[in-house]
Amino acid sequence: MSTLTFLGAVGEVTGSRYLLEVDGENGPHRLLLECGLHQGGADADRANEKPFGKLVKELEAVVLSHGHLDHSGLLPRLVREGYRGPIHCTRGTRDLLEIMLQDAAFVMAKDIEWENKWRSRHDRPLVEALYDLDDVEQTLAQCVSHPYGQPVTLPGGVTLVFRDAGHILGSAIVELNVPSGGQEKHLVFSGDLGNPSSVLMKDPEKLYEADLVLMESTYGDRDHRPLEETLEEFAKVLEEAHADGGNVLIPAFAVGRSQEILYHLSVLYHEGRLRQQLVFLDSPMAIRVTELYHRARKALDPEDLKVLNKAASGDPGQYLPVLRMTRTVEESMAINRIHGGAIIIAGAGMCNGGRIVHHFRYNLEKPATRLVIVGFQAGGTIGRQIVDGAERIRVFGHDLAVKAKVHTIGGFSAHAGQSQLIGWAGAFRNRPRFYLVHGEPETQKVLQAALAESEIEAEIPAYGDRIEL
């Protein structure tokens, strides 16, 4: 009998990893679904440092739903330890991985350099990065990309098909037909399901046949506000910041969220509702991803692109004339001389590093500043501390008072909300087994109860749980 073992993203949102062991004449064929980075504090760091062990030599294939680091960020670590098999993904995911994993390796190297300087001064043992750029290049060389809807044969007679998840560029729902006990079992992994209200992405595909479904539950305890209300709130925050003479800080994920925020700023600009005269995209990775989205626009929602083209009279260069893309450190530092009237979009999205933290030092203690949170903040991150009402935070060895006005605007989420998750789950016929992953424990319990009201039974697995297909 083929089995599935839960090795990550159980009881937490990050660290996605599931081991599929498929019946074979000479022992099981082992396939890894996802290889994500844990995010959020010291516990996450320890989980990331744990070796893969003998699994490295036993694996025959890796399947990846999309390019966000909590789903893909440990791939170079797996490769560094010796994995040389294929990594199956969509073309959009392959293109994003090149940007995201290179950036992750670069940031990691800088962080380790700083850490080891401190350790040297205090006579502590030095530490190594999880992986480096050479590991990333080897990882990219092992990627094999496939279009949506194309069946792919994997070891053990498993058939893989990717479906559009509508979350970010290249994001996929993973369908696996798996031989098990003389039968064929249909396993579906939702990946991260997109929010149909969000712009640029197409709606997630609905599937109807499955024996077992792994479904994300990131926002399983609530629905997002309607997009129109969200945009009105966003516009009001920008107007108030302009009136008070402060800057607007937007910690944004480089993939998906930054591009969506730029879209909405473009529409506001052409409606004459954007008073700020400077918008900075202060993230080299987000800049590269934005350029990739433009090159891959045929994969985006054509109706949303029509809106942009109409607003800018068809000239892509005029989508947002006040936009400045700051690639270098010097350009980023120069922004700190601007004391009001600017919108600064910078990573990291959960405020646990990156350029946004530097902008905190110059803006967070000013009451005129507006801090706009537009994405999920995992437990243990600085962003989560701020959302939970922290009056002070510590960054780069400095204590900062949080005097800026903080606005959490959830309607921009690229994840499906509760009603959308239930609707997606309800499309399946013949009552498959559901397992909730990618969610915090209390959130999962709320979703589990809501699903039960729709006569959909779902289980909440624990780390290390092993189930038969």
Side-chain angles (χ1 to χ4, degrees):
M1 189 71 71
S2 298
T3 62
L4 183 77
T5 305
F6 296 87
L7 298 176
V10 283
E12 63 171 325
V13 174
T14 67
S16 187
R17 195 192 312 171
Y18 314 96
L19 177 64
L20 181 62
E21 296 178 279
V22 184
D23 290 342
E25 291 183 8
N26 301 313
H29 298 273
R30 292 181 174 87
L31 314 177
L32 196 64
L33 177 57
E34 312 281 80
C35 193
L37 195 72
H38 296 268
Q39 296 168 309
D43 288 344
D45 292 341
R46 284 190 288 271
N48 291 330
E49 291 165 1
K50 187 177 179 181
F52 287 93
K54 64 180 182 178
L55 183 62
V56 169
K57 300 299 181 185
E58 295 172 346
L59 278 180
E60 296 180 57
V62 176
V63 177
L64 198 62
S65 70
H66 67 286
H68 274 148
L69 291 180
D70 59 324
H71 293 256
S72 70
L74 279 185
L75 280 171
R77 175 75 172 189
L78 184 70
V79 167
R80 185 186 185 97
E81 292 185 23
Y83 176 69
R84 290 296 180 268
I87 299 166
H88 297 279
C89 58
T90 67
R91 179 53 193 260
T93 294
R94 164 60 181 78
D95 290 342
L96 280 175
L97 285 178
E98 182 169 0
I99 298 171
M100 299 190 72
L101 295 179
Q102 287 177 352
D103 182 81
F106 176 79
V107 170
M108 212 178 293
K110 289 292 184 184
D111 288 346
I112 290 293
E113 181 182 0
W114 183 88
E115 172 77 8
N116 282 337
K117 283 181 180 177
W118 181 88
R119 286 174 172 268
S120 294
R121 289 198 301 269
H122 295 83
D123 198 27
R124 302 282 180 87
L126 303 185
V127 293
E128 287 187 6
L130 293 174
Y131 50 81
D132 58 25
L133 285 170
D134 289 340
D135 301 316
V136 170
E137 292 308 308
Q138 180 60 45
T139 301
L140 296 172
Q142 291 171 224
C143 286
V144 183
S145 60
H146 312 283
Y148 293 124
Q150 175 183 293
V152 180
T153 301
L154 303 182
V158 175
T159 302
L160 160 70
V161 180
F162 288 121
R163 307 288 183 187
D164 194 343
H167 177 57
I168 61 170
L169 185 67
S171 61
I173 299 162
V174 178
E175 279 192 274
L176 295 169
N177 282 306
V178 183
S180 182
Q183 299 178 311
E184 190 167 86
K185 296 296 182 181
H186 195 171
L187 167 64
V188 172
F189 171 50
S190 69
D192 282 352
L193 292 173
N195 179 359
S197 297
S198 64
V199 295
L200 298 178
M201 293 295 104
K202 297 173 182 175
D203 289 354
E205 289 189 48
K206 285 190 174 179
L207 282 69
Y208 303 97
E209 303 296 334
D211 296 297
L212 188 151
V213 180
L214 308 185
M215 187 172 77
E216 69 117 327
S217 52
T218 311
Y219 286 99
D221 60 345
R222 59 196 184 275
D223 283 328
H224 304 304
R225 291 180 67 186
L227 184 59
E228 286 186 8
E229 291 181 19
T230 298
L231 291 177
E232 284 305 310
E233 181 184 3
F234 186 45
K236 184 179 179 182
V237 170
L238 298 182
E239 184 69 33
E240 289 175 355
H242 174 76
D244 285 355
N247 289 326
V248 179
L249 303 184
I250 306 178
F253 298 89
V255 181
R257 201 62 46 82
S258 292
Q259 291 73 39
E260 184 171 5
I261 294 300
L262 290 175
Y263 173 97
H264 291 304
L265 289 174
S266 298
V267 172
L268 289 173
Y269 175 87
H270 289 284
E271 290 177 348
R273 300 178 65 192
L274 186 65
R275 305 286 295 279
Q276 282 82 2
Q277 294 302 301
L278 286 172
V279 176
F280 294 97
L281 183 57
D282 189 31
S283 164
M285 181 165 67
I287 292 169
R288 291 181 66 191
V289 172
T290 301
E291 292 167 344
L292 173 60
Y293 267 59
H294 181 68
R295 294 195 301 272
R297 57 192 176 277
K298 288 183 180 179
L300 305 180
D301 189 321
E303 295 304 314
D304 293 332
L305 293 181
K306 282 181 185 177
V307 172
L308 275 187
N309 285 327
K310 183 179 179 181
S313 302
D315 181 0
Q318 293 302 307
Y319 289 155
L320 187 56
V322 295
L323 175 64
R324 304 290 182 268
M325 296 191 181
T326 49
R327 299 175 194 267
T328 68
V329 173
E330 290 75 19
E331 289 172 325
S332 178
M333 292 172 64
I335 297 172
N336 293 320
R337 294 198 289 269
I338 300 172
H339 300 293
I343 298 171
I344 304 163
I345 305 166
M350 296 186 193
C351 312
N352 53 338
R355 293 183 178 182
I356 193 66
V357 181
H358 290 280
H359 295 305
F360 280 179
R361 290 184 62 186
Y362 291 88
N363 293 275
L364 202 61
E365 295 188 310
K366 298 177 181 178
T369 298
R370 298 297 189 277
L371 174 60
V372 182
I373 303 292
V374 295
F376 184 83
Q377 305 296 311
T381 62
I382 292 174
R384 182 59 168 267
Q385 293 174 33
I386 293 173
V387 168
D388 287 345
E391 295 182 358
R392 304 189 71 84
I393 61 169
R394 188 169 180 82
V395 295
F396 298 128
H398 295 269
D399 279 321
L400 295 178
V402 182
K403 295 183 179 178
K405 290 185 175 65
V406 180
H407 302 268
T408 301
I409 304 182
F412 287 129
S413 176
H415 284 265
Q418 185 190 82
S419 296
Q420 294 153 347
L421 290 170
I422 293 172
W424 186 81
F428 286 95
R429 297 186 281 257
N430 302 321
R431 300 173 67 88
R433 295 151 61 195
F434 277 85
Y435 291 85
L436 302 183
V437 295
H438 282 276
E440 295 181 339
E442 292 306 313
T443 298
Q444 291 182 321
K445 290 175 185 175
V446 173
L447 179 59
Q448 184 184 42
L451 287 166
E453 291 179 6
S454 298
E455 299 184 346
I456 300 171
E457 293 185 10
E459 297 182 44
I460 300 174
Y463 178 83
D465 281 358
R466 190 168 181 251
I467 59 173
E468 294 183 345
L469 268 59

